[in-house]
Amino acid sequence: MPVINFKHSDLCALIGKKIPRDVLIERIPMMGADMHDTDGDADEMSVEFFPDRPDLYSAEGLARSLRPFLDIAPGMKKYGTERTDIEMKVDKSAGDVRPYVLCAAIRDIKITDGLLRSLMDMQEKLHLTIGRKRAKIAIGVHDLDKVVPPFTYKAVLPGEISFVPLGKTEKWDLDEILEKHEKGVDYAHILKGKKRYPVILDANGDVLSFPPIINGTLTTVTTDTKNIFIDVTGTDMKVVKGTLDILVTALAERGGRIGTVKMTGAIKCDSPDLTPSGLDIDIKECEKFIGLRIGADGIVKALRKMGMDAVSSGNVISVLIPSTRLDIMHPVDIYEDVAVGYGFENFGSDHVLAQTVGRKSDVTMMSDRLRDVMIGLGYTEVTTLTLSSEDDEFATSGLPQKNVVKIKNPITEDHTCLRSSLLPSVMRIIRKNKHRDLPQRIFEIGDAVVDAKKQRRLCAVATHSRTSFTEMKSVAESVLREMRLSYALRPCPYDTFIKGRGAEIVIDNVCAGYFGEMSPSVIANFDVDHPVIFFELDLSGIAKGVSTMLF
């Protein structure tokens, strides 16, 4: 998840009020974040935000959200725009390559080293998250005074245009940039198969940008820059617009004046348009969702603390949502903001006085016992995310395809579905720790989801230079023996294993798990350097007495 680094003094200057460090450390997590590096009295601070809030990927965005959240300035922050004579001509030739582009100008801004670092950091975080590593959106930030409008966005043949890309001193054509430049090599796959490439030119034919790859060195932003031109190109107009709005409002927090650009040709509008969107919610539905009766006034107050404007009429509350809030797509998202604005610390109720008897479920008690068993076998417990990707679940791991629950609007390409197996999640831990001493033996007891049904699983992985099928067979049979289960073994055909070194665990004539030596190709897929053995078992079926899920 994105980690935002900032100075306490700078954040307070942006907020417009001195906020003690201990107050920030206490209150920021209540917005849905995790504080990092907060020890001592150092000015530097770090906070990790969930990927669904790209508007908070900078100190400027955080300051904007903290003002209402701390009751300094409740309600929506409004930003003015000024008309300019800048025009961006959008040629229809770009429609088949990268169809959408929006632009903005920022006037009279004082660029400091700190702001420059913050701007570049925010740009890269937007690229990696909602930009899907530039495939969905790409951002260009330019020194406006070094080019001459009107600008043109069009697609050209690779050999038609050459320019000096950022960080270089010689001119290259577009194909040469894809072959030689570091960014070209990293992102050439986005333009693979395209006969023409998108470029942004000024009135003199000078290149501002070759999106989504690299800007020209001509428009490099420095501390001497006074006026900025921003372009955002992409394949999804909603995300392009939201990204531009996030950038320009962040720069407006630093004193810049937002100027509109007249978009002509294939796209016709004045950009940016910071008009808020509207959404009506039902008071009773909201209260039912959050589990509290706080009334219309309570809901309105909570929403104003989240930087929105709201008015009530009867059983309906009309909400105005800032254009920077890309995460608001449904009334449920508003309900969540009501809960955050009301304050999670204020949730709770009296103890239930009714005399009832509760106990742990069978699968939970079994999980607790198995943790002791695995620790006794020399394994260390880990906990990983339930979110995964279909590539890791099947193509990378070699496990057979299953019917997974897919995420409708994934934030990143690494989190597109709910995991159907624990193995890919545990292997990602091994990959991140491959530089550490061997042997490494870890396990996880957690949930997987197949056919929209939750399963509790145990997965154990070991890696060292002398791993063997026999070692993992001993671990698996030790676990099964401790559980007093009757079982049989048979060869497992999965591509995950070296041929002949994988086994299925059969309980009541149903496959309940598998273990063995991982195939070298799968080990390479996970970017691990040493042999790997693993074991995975479905605990849900065993706890019920019969395993109903075929692996």
Side-chain angles (χ1 to χ4, degrees):
M1 294 188 289
V3 176
I4 313 303
N5 301 302
F6 56 91
K7 291 184 177 182
H8 174 232
S9 55
D10 184 45
L11 181 65
C12 290
L14 286 166
I15 293 173
K17 184 177 180 180
K18 176 74 172 178
I19 309 295
R21 277 172 54 89
D22 57 344
V23 173
L24 292 175
I25 292 169
E26 177 187 353
R27 296 301 297 158
I28 289 178
M30 294 296 103
M31 298 171 63
D34 183 25
M35 295 300 301
H36 287 233
D37 304 328
T38 55
D39 295 334
D41 297 323
D43 198 26
E44 298 290 338
M45 299 182 75
S46 295
V47 59
E48 183 177 4
F49 280 105
F50 294 132
D52 64 340
R53 289 295 303 272
D55 58 306
L56 300 180
Y57 288 178
S58 65
E60 297 83 8
L62 178 57
R64 175 177 55 230
S65 294
L66 280 172
R67 285 191 212 102
F69 194 70
L70 299 176
D71 288 323
I72 296 170
M76 188 191 307
K77 173 68 180 290
K78 296 176 177 61
Y79 299 90
T81 59
E82 304 172 359
R83 286 184 175 274
T84 71
D85 57 359
I86 301 172
E87 179 184 358
M88 167 64 84
K89 301 175 181 178
V90 183
D91 192 87
K92 63 181 181 181
S93 61
D96 296 330
V97 185
R98 201 169 181 83
Y100 302 115
V101 60
L102 289 174
C103 306
I106 303 293
R107 304 277 196 179
D108 301 328
I109 186 164
K110 182 177 177 57
I111 303 290
T112 63
D113 287 334
L115 174 55
L116 198 54
R117 285 194 299 270
S118 176
L119 179 60
M120 297 301 106
D121 189 49
M122 175 170 52
Q123 183 179 351
E124 283 310 303
K125 284 181 170 60
L126 291 170
H127 277 157
L128 289 172
T129 52
I130 60 175
R132 305 286 178 83
K133 297 181 180 178
R134 303 195 188 187
K136 199 168 187 178
I137 63 102
I139 301 161
V141 181
H142 313 276
D143 189 325
L144 180 58
D145 297 326
K146 294 179 181 178
V147 285
V148 181
F151 304 112
T152 302
Y153 177 61
K154 65 179 182 178
V156 298
L157 294 171
E160 280 185 37
I161 287 179
S162 61
F163 68 100
V164 181
L166 199 62
K168 303 300 176 182
T169 57
E170 60 179 314
K171 280 189 175 183
W172 289 337
D173 66 27
L174 306 187
D175 270 341
E176 287 177 317
I177 290 174
L178 296 182
E179 294 168 1
K180 299 179 181 180
H181 198 285
E182 298 84 354
K183 297 299 183 183
V185 173
D186 288 345
Y187 300 109
H189 65 278
I190 300 174
L191 297 176
K192 187 176 181 180
K194 304 295 184 182
K195 294 181 179 179
R196 294 175 177 268
Y197 299 155
V199 292
I200 297 176
L201 308 173
D202 77 347
N204 296 329
D206 290 325
V207 177
L208 281 73
S209 180
F210 170 24
I213 309 300
I214 195 72
N215 291 341
T217 192
L218 172 66
T219 60
T220 302
V221 175
T222 69
T223 53
D224 295 325
T225 300
K226 299 294 189 296
N227 302 297
I228 291 176
F229 180 75
I230 301 174
D231 69 79
V232 182
T233 63
T235 58
D236 184 320
M237 179 55 97
K238 179 182 177 181
V239 181
V240 168
K241 180 185 182 304
T243 302
L244 182 67
D245 293 351
I246 289 170
L247 287 163
V248 299
T249 52
L251 291 171
E253 290 286 337
R254 293 288 185 179
R257 293 161 39 222
I258 303 173
T260 60
V261 174
K262 188 174 185 60
M263 311 295 297
T264 61
I267 297 174
K268 295 181 174 64
C269 66
D270 288 337
S271 173
D273 180 2
L274 302 178
T275 304
S277 58
L279 188 63
D280 291 344
I281 63 169
D282 184 272
I283 294 174
K284 292 183 179 178
E285 284 296 319
C286 179
E287 291 179 330
K288 179 181 178 181
F289 184 87
I290 67 174
L292 291 174
R293 292 183 178 180
I294 60 176
D297 291 343
I299 293 173
V300 168
K301 181 180 179 181
L303 289 173
R304 286 179 57 79
K305 288 190 69 170
M306 296 303 293
M308 303 182 194
D309 284 339
V311 293
S312 62
S313 177
N315 292 324
V316 174
I317 292 180
S318 298
V319 186
L320 283 180
I321 306 161
S323 62
T324 54
R325 289 294 302 272
L326 288 176
D327 58 309
I328 304 295
M329 297 178 286
H330 187 276
V332 167
D333 300 313
I334 298 292
Y335 304 160
E336 181 183 6
D337 265 28
V338 170
V340 176
Y342 179 75
F344 289 125
E345 69 277 14
N346 297 319
F347 280 69
S349 60
D350 296 332
H351 293 292
V352 177
L353 299 179
Q355 294 185 359
T356 59
V357 178
R359 71 178 186 90
K360 294 180 180 179
S361 66
D362 292 340
V363 71
T364 299
M365 289 191 291
M366 180 181 292
S367 300
D368 291 343
R369 290 196 296 269
L370 284 177
R371 286 187 176 91
D372 293 335
V373 172
M374 293 306 301
I375 292 169
L377 290 169
Y379 283 71
T380 300
E381 186 174 13
V382 298
T383 302
T384 62
L385 290 174
T386 307
L387 291 176
S388 185
S389 70
E390 291 173 86
D391 282 346
D392 279 357
E393 291 296 302
F394 309 117
T396 302
S397 70
L399 294 173
Q401 189 81 27
K402 298 184 180 73
N403 184 20
V404 298
V405 176
K406 298 180 182 179
I407 308 300
K408 186 174 182 180
N409 296 293
I411 299 297
T412 70
E413 60 186 13
D414 297 327
H415 299 144
T416 61
C417 68
L418 299 183
R419 64 185 178 186
S420 60
S421 166
L422 268 59
L423 176 63
S425 300
V426 178
M427 283 301 296
R428 285 193 285 268
I429 298 292
I430 294 290
R431 179 174 61 203
K432 290 180 179 179
N433 290 275
K434 65 180 183 179
H435 61 288
R436 300 193 179 275
D437 293 341
L438 299 179
Q440 294 180 25
R441 295 183 175 92
I442 60 176
F443 79 95
E444 179 174 12
I445 297 176
D447 292 329
V449 181
V450 180
D451 291 328
K453 295 179 180 178
K454 187 168 69 174
Q455 302 172 352
R456 181 67 57 84
R457 300 242 181 143
L458 161 66
C459 181
V461 174
T463 177
H464 54 90
S465 60
R466 303 183 66 179
T467 58
S468 66
F469 174 84
T470 303
E471 178 185 341
M472 189 48 72
K473 180 175 183 289
S474 174
V475 172
E477 290 188 324
S478 295
V479 171
L480 294 167
R481 184 173 59 250
E482 290 292 331
M483 298 169 72
R484 296 182 173 83
L485 290 172
S486 298
Y487 64 93
L489 302 179
R490 68 189 182 198
C492 182
Y494 298 164
D495 294 337
T496 313
F497 300 106
I498 297 174
K499 190 172 182 180
R501 300 188 193 178
E504 290 184 343
I505 301 165
V506 181
I507 299 173
D508 293 334
N509 297 317
V510 176
C511 176
Y514 37 80
F515 65 87
E517 279 189 68
M518 186 175 286
S519 163
S521 62
V522 176
I523 293 173
N525 288 344
F526 282 110
D527 194 24
V528 175
D529 301 329
H530 297 279
V532 175
I533 53 177
F534 76 95
F535 158 51
E536 184 157 352
L537 186 66
D538 175 19
L539 303 178
S540 301
I542 295 170
K544 297 173 185 176
V546 178
S547 179
T548 58
M549 182 56 62
L550 292 175
F551 287 79

